[in-house]
Amino acid sequence: MLDSLTLLRAMNGIHEENVIMAGNIYFNEKPKHRSKKRLLTLALAAAVILALGAAAYSAGLVFSGWGGNMEIHSEQTEGGIENTIYVHTENMTQPVSFEDGRMIFVVNDEHIDITEQISETVPFIYRYTDEETGIIHYWIVGKNGPEPEHYGFAEYLRPIEGEWTGGYVARTDGNMAPWLEEAWEELGFNFKAES
Amino acid sequence: MEDREIVDLYWQRSELAISETDRKYGRYCRTIACNICGSDEDAEECVNDTWLRAWNRMPSERPAALSAFLGCITRNLAINTIKAKNRLKRGGGEAALALDELSECITDGKSPEQLMEEKELEQAIGKFTAGLPETERMIFVLRYFYLAPVAEIAERLGCGQGKVKSSLFRTRKKLREMLTKEGLCWIR
């Protein structure tokens, strides 16, 4: 009868080189610092949270920070105060990379081939939870043209328990892309109605 | 002292072998035993028994990797200890949590005694882990060979606990699929 205990004991079958390698990590190496990419993500989350709090009572440019990569503008409209977040993505780490012509999603140390998974109307959606901050990150990638290089992406943030905190869209022309609209529908987003 | 020299001491039946092993691998084996047993006292007993087992197995055996050799002996002794004391569901260290997690990999089927020897299962586990991507493999080995707590794994690898948990979840799913595909899953 195979039970968890038998399975646990069978881990003795793990090859010696892997046992040694993991043992070195566990017993000999110094703990590693969190990756830069992750820190950037956390900084972004914090910036969005702080900025939105201030934006609710201000107008015009209410926040400019995160190394000059982010601006938040607030505007009084007929429907109330509308906040717009601009993220300058030229120098940001991109969520995808290209390997041998394949489009690879690399957020959160992932390595997912999304080449066949996205189009101009079909988004790739990825979600992960940062246990330390308690924030859920929703990443969305889609194509703005036939070429893979013409991709766009978005990231939205929400606490595990709570309302949407914010997010941004990058590499789009400012209009609502069909792939993003599809993602909003799939995820049940309704930011326009909420603003 | 190099591993080869320590093994030579065992082969020469020198009692220095034990003290040198304890000096080099005492913390290593105690940590493994303590992660499994959840008790310093039991862990100490397991480690002392590990030296005795090693003494009895050498000569005749000449382990290529002394750490892995001793680690496996300690694991077996610690697992036997918690099994004997029936602590699994009463806060018996990381083993209780790890066993709960691994239970996801087991599906209905026939008795393992009828279908295969434990050795075959070990070989399948070895092949399975060798085929995992490196980070995923390290997380899996740290968790299920060393029974390292998730928080410690995250700290060692410089990532969040969420990433460790999601990686383990994915790997367990793959393991379950492999065990099922290979006909190695049996009823609990």
Side-chain angles (χ1 to χ4, degrees):
Chain A
M1 183 172 76
L2 178 61
D3 54 18
S4 303
L5 202 60
T6 307
L7 194 52
L8 186 66
R9 197 188 296 274
M11 297 299 167
N12 282 350
I14 292 170
H15 297 169
E16 282 180 353
E17 62 268 27
N18 292 321
V19 170
I20 293 169
M21 198 185 298
N24 284 335
I25 292 171
Y26 192 31
F27 294 97
N28 300 332
E29 292 178 8
K30 288 180 180 174
K32 292 179 182 169
H33 294 294
R34 302 288 294 275
S35 71
K36 194 175 181 183
K37 183 166 63 182
R38 194 165 185 85
L39 289 172
L40 280 176
T41 307
L42 296 177
L44 170 63
V48 171
I49 294 163
L50 292 171
L52 285 182
Y57 303 100
S58 308
L61 175 64
V62 295
F63 177 85
S64 177
W66 192 35
N69 282 319
M70 178 183 284
E71 290 176 12
I72 299 180
H73 293 253
S74 187
E75 186 182 355
Q76 181 69 50
T77 66
E78 289 181 0
I81 293 175
E82 188 173 300
N83 299 311
T84 308
I85 302 171
Y86 296 92
V87 177
H88 302 289
T89 58
E90 299 84 1
N91 300 320
M92 282 174 61
T93 303
Q94 299 295 307
V96 297
S97 67
F98 291 93
E99 296 176 15
D100 299 325
R102 310 295 295 178
M103 199 172 183
I104 310 296
F105 182 79
V106 295
V107 169
N108 198 31
D109 292 337
E110 292 286 0
H111 192 273
I112 303 170
D113 187 338
I114 60 171
T115 312
E116 317 295 344
Q117 297 188 47
I118 64 169
S119 72
E120 292 170 56
T121 54
V122 179
F124 168 76
I125 300 172
Y126 176 86
R127 167 190 154 152
Y128 75 93
T129 303
D130 189 315
E131 301 287 347
E132 288 185 7
T133 60
I135 290 177
I136 305 171
H137 295 242
Y138 292 81
W139 281 86
I140 302 164
V141 183
K143 283 163 78 174
N144 298 316
E147 298 301 324
E149 291 76 13
H150 299 153
Y151 70 88
F153 65 92
E155 182 185 11
Y156 296 98
L157 313 168
R158 188 178 73 177
I160 292 173
E161 293 179 6
E163 297 300 317
W164 290 99
T165 306
Y168 62 91
V169 180
R171 292 175 64 99
T172 63
D173 60 6
N175 295 318
M176 190 69 176
W179 55 266
L180 189 56
E181 200 161 356
E182 181 64 29
W184 278 29
E185 191 171 332
E186 193 172 320
L187 293 170
F189 290 2
N190 192 14
F191 293 132
K192 285 178 180 173
E194 289 170 0
S195 64
Chain B
M1 186 176 281
E2 295 294 320
D3 284 2
R4 181 179 45 78
E5 295 172 291
I6 296 176
V7 172
D8 283 344
L9 290 174
Y10 278 102
W11 278 64
Q12 293 159 14
R13 311 312 288 160
S14 165
E15 290 183 8
L16 270 178
I18 304 290
S19 56
E20 289 300 327
T21 306
D22 190 67
R23 190 192 316 274
K24 188 166 183 182
Y25 291 111
R27 183 173 73 93
Y28 175 84
C29 291
R30 278 182 191 87
T31 303
I32 295 173
C34 199
N35 282 349
I36 295 173
C37 298
S39 148
D40 289 340
E41 192 181 338
D42 288 341
E44 193 57 39
E45 199 172 320
C46 287
V47 170
N48 289 332
D49 288 347
T50 299
W51 306 158
L52 181 62
R53 291 276 179 98
W55 180 262
N56 289 335
R57 285 173 61 173
M58 292 184 282
S60 81
E61 287 184 55
R62 184 175 276 278
L66 194 54
S67 62
F69 174 80
L70 296 169
C72 285
I73 294 175
T74 305
R75 288 182 89 254
N76 284 338
L77 290 167
I79 290 169
N80 288 345
T81 299
I82 57 169
K83 194 175 180 182
K85 294 196 174 182
N86 193 25
R87 286 179 179 170
L88 296 182
K89 297 295 178 186
R90 290 186 287 130
E94 285 298 316
L97 290 170
L99 289 174
D100 278 346
E101 291 161 14
L102 287 172
S103 67
E104 293 172 15
C105 306
I106 297 161
T107 56
D108 291 353
K110 295 180 181 176
S111 163
E113 285 85 356
Q114 295 170 338
L115 290 173
M116 66 168 293
E117 298 293 330
E118 273 192 18
K119 203 68 186 168
E120 193 180 343
L121 180 63
E122 284 188 11
Q123 285 170 353
I125 295 287
K127 192 176 169 187
F128 170 78
T129 47
L132 293 171
E134 185 173 329
T135 303
E136 193 176 335
R137 184 167 71 245
M138 287 304 103
I139 290 173
F140 186 81
V141 177
L142 285 168
R143 181 67 183 140
Y144 297 118
F145 185 88
Y146 290 106
L147 282 293
V150 168
E152 279 187 31
I153 298 172
E155 186 189 359
R156 287 280 149 193
L157 296 177
C159 63
Q161 292 186 40
K163 186 190 169 186
V164 173
K165 286 177 186 171
S166 62
S167 172
L168 289 170
F169 178 79
R170 281 197 303 272
T171 314
R172 288 198 301 270
K173 188 165 176 280
K174 287 183 198 172
L175 176 59
R176 181 192 171 108
E177 286 166 2
M178 183 279 285
L179 292 173
T180 305
K181 187 180 169 189
E182 300 292 325
L184 302 178
C185 256
W186 311 283
I187 195 165
R188 275 200 295 161

